[in-house]
Amino acid sequence: MTYRKICEGIVSRHPAGTVISSVAAPRCALGPGGEIVCTFIAQSALGINDFKPMISRSYDAGLSWSEATLMWPDLTEKFSIFGSVSGTPSGELFFFGTRTAIHKQGEPFWSDATQGIKQNELIWARSGNGGVAWSDFKVIEMPFAGSAEAPGAMCITRRTRILCCYAPYNTFNPLLTVIKDRVICLWSDNEGISWNHSIMLQFPYDDSNGAEAWIIELADGRLLGTSWHIRKDADAPNAYALSRDAGKTWSATKSTGILGQSTALAPLNDGRALFLYNQRKYGDLGVWMAVVNPTEKDFGIQENQRIWATGKVSETPGLVNHDSWTNFAFGEPSALLLPGNDILVTLWCSQHSEGQIAYVKLHLDG
């Protein structure tokens, strides 16, 4: 199987009165009428605790897009909301992410001193009409102390189990001990009334943590989870694990063999998956996509190509590690499989001092 580029373009530029976040999390899903719904995150300024989810739609398979609008305009002064959209075969949409109370306008959400995120909570909502109206947010209690980093989309299996994952992070409290060497999987079989948890990824080093983790259901019913594997003083390949019991237990955490940053997943109809990642440090810089057929022993990389190129990886040259995230010039790609074996990849990027949500449309051959 190979893939070729059809076209590329822009979903959205700066929404009025905001900037596109350097952790914008652009994600797409198919709505009930076959339209493509894209959500992403804007802010008043980078690093400020006022994440604002935006939504845009395409009715021509991603070639043109409506003007982006606020998803929850009545909550923008009360909560900073970060998350992403996913969908089901019936067109129902789910939004999953985090919510952080805003105590003072202009306050930061990140602490350099603790390398932590202001204390937040996991939330989710659903929509049956293409994101025009949403249910009230429901909170998912976190099983461990700390804040949550959760840009990956929610996964709804064919047996209607709801799953999500997050990476534990420090908070602003320097006295709070947070166990960060893992990525947590959460699941519910009763429409989110109660939740169970398991450790999806377990890193072997005390100085490790995850970020930008994803979870999907493969065509054969297995679950695949991936994460950026971050170490304090060393680069580590992205990590993955598989579950054969719908998330209750996971295989040993393995290396993907890819030294990338960020991760995203999309299932293919034949049982394989698309694995997307940023490459800011090694080889050809830009966004890459691999076709993988993972087992418990090997990630099964069958194709791995750069699909979006850039010569600018950060606003300040040389600052490309995780702790320099406000300097990144692109990131957080994700993919949506469209009818006819087309793929829509979205990402955020900074071009000519303007934040953009960009797209690349590809076609799978074979």
Side-chain angles (χ1 to χ4, degrees):
M1 178 180 286
T2 60
Y3 39 89
R4 53 185 171 85
K5 184 182 294 186
I6 300 173
C7 60
E8 58 184 286
I10 301 298
V11 174
S12 180
R13 293 180 168 86
H14 278 187
T18 67
V19 299
I20 290 175
S21 172
S22 58
V23 283
R27 318 296 190 209
C28 291
L30 289 175
E35 74 278 17
I36 302 174
V37 175
C38 180
T39 64
F40 64 94
I41 306 301
Q43 295 173 274
S44 63
L46 298 181
I48 301 302
N49 185 41
D50 63 356
F51 290 125
K52 300 174 177 65
M54 312 291 294
I55 189 167
S56 181
R57 295 175 176 83
S58 175
Y59 296 91
D60 57 6
L63 299 181
S64 63
W65 295 86
S66 66
E67 183 177 353
T69 58
L70 288 167
M71 295 177 68
W72 290 281
D74 56 327
L75 298 178
T76 57
E77 295 187 3
K78 186 177 181 180
F79 291 108
S80 176
I81 300 169
F82 184 96
S84 56
V85 72
S86 58
T88 67
S90 67
E92 186 176 19
L93 302 180
F94 287 73
F95 184 92
F96 165 72
T98 60
R99 180 174 70 180
T100 311
I102 299 174
H103 294 104
K104 182 180 179 180
Q105 296 298 316
E107 67 185 12
F109 84 94
W110 176 262
S111 169
D112 285 330
T114 65
Q115 290 291 292
I117 299 170
K118 185 179 178 182
Q119 184 65 65
N120 57 17
E121 55 187 356
L122 293 170
I123 48 92
W124 69 285
R126 63 202 305 174
S127 172
N129 60 2
V132 176
W134 293 85
S135 67
D136 292 337
F137 282 122
K138 297 179 181 179
V139 175
I140 306 172
E141 185 176 352
M142 287 184 278
F144 299 100
S147 285
E149 194 266 3
M154 188 166 258
C155 172
I156 298 84
T157 70
R158 289 182 288 277
R159 294 186 177 182
T160 67
R161 172 169 283 190
I162 303 173
L163 300 109
C164 55
C165 61
Y166 78 96
Y169 263 59
N170 289 341
T171 67
F172 285 11
N173 181 359
L175 301 180
L176 181 67
T177 299
V178 179
I179 303 172
K180 297 183 295 180
D181 62 349
R182 60 194 60 184
V183 173
I184 309 302
C185 169
L186 295 154
W187 77 88
S188 173
D189 290 325
N190 55 12
E191 299 289 311
I193 296 173
S194 62
W195 293 83
N196 300 289
H197 73 274
S198 59
I199 297 177
M200 184 175 88
L201 298 170
Q202 177 70 67
F203 302 117
Y205 310 106
D206 291 338
D207 65 346
S208 289
N209 65 278
E212 302 187 17
W214 276 71
I215 180 174
I216 60 169
E217 183 184 30
L218 300 174
D220 62 7
R222 292 178 301 161
L223 300 181
L224 170 63
T226 60
S227 176
W228 186 1
H229 180 185
I230 299 167
R231 295 193 64 194
K232 184 177 180 181
D233 297 315
D235 292 320
N238 297 126
Y240 83 98
L242 292 161
S243 174
R244 294 182 179 271
D245 55 11
K248 184 178 180 180
T249 62
W250 292 84
S251 64
T253 300
K254 295 286 188 177
S255 166
T256 64
I258 293 175
L259 267 173
Q261 310 88 39
S262 182
T263 72
L265 292 166
L268 295 175
N269 296 327
D270 62 3
R272 292 178 290 182
L274 301 175
F275 176 71
L276 294 98
Y277 61 97
N278 303 322
Q279 186 50 265
R280 300 189 183 100
K281 298 181 71 174
Y282 307 105
D284 294 330
L285 305 178
V287 170
W288 285 66
M289 186 173 77
V291 176
V292 301
N293 189 17
T295 67
E296 283 81 355
K297 295 182 178 180
D298 182 77
F299 198 45
I301 300 171
Q302 298 181 347
E303 189 83 15
N304 191 18
Q305 297 180 22
R306 183 174 63 171
I307 59 173
W308 183 86
T310 184
K312 178 184 179 183
V313 296
S314 62
E315 301 297 337
T316 303
L319 296 180
V320 295
N321 290 328
H322 176 262
D323 57 2
S324 302
W325 59 269
T326 56
N327 285 292
F328 294 165
F330 72 95
E332 293 196 313
S334 64
L336 174 67
L337 186 64
L338 301 174
N341 260 16
D342 286 346
I343 304 167
L344 184 70
V345 174
T346 50
L347 64 137
W348 75 266
C349 59
S350 174
Q351 300 290 324
H352 311 295
S353 301
E354 178 186 60
Q356 302 175 351
I357 304 299
Y359 75 84
V360 179
K361 196 170 183 180
L362 307 161
H363 182 76
L364 284 173
D365 294 313

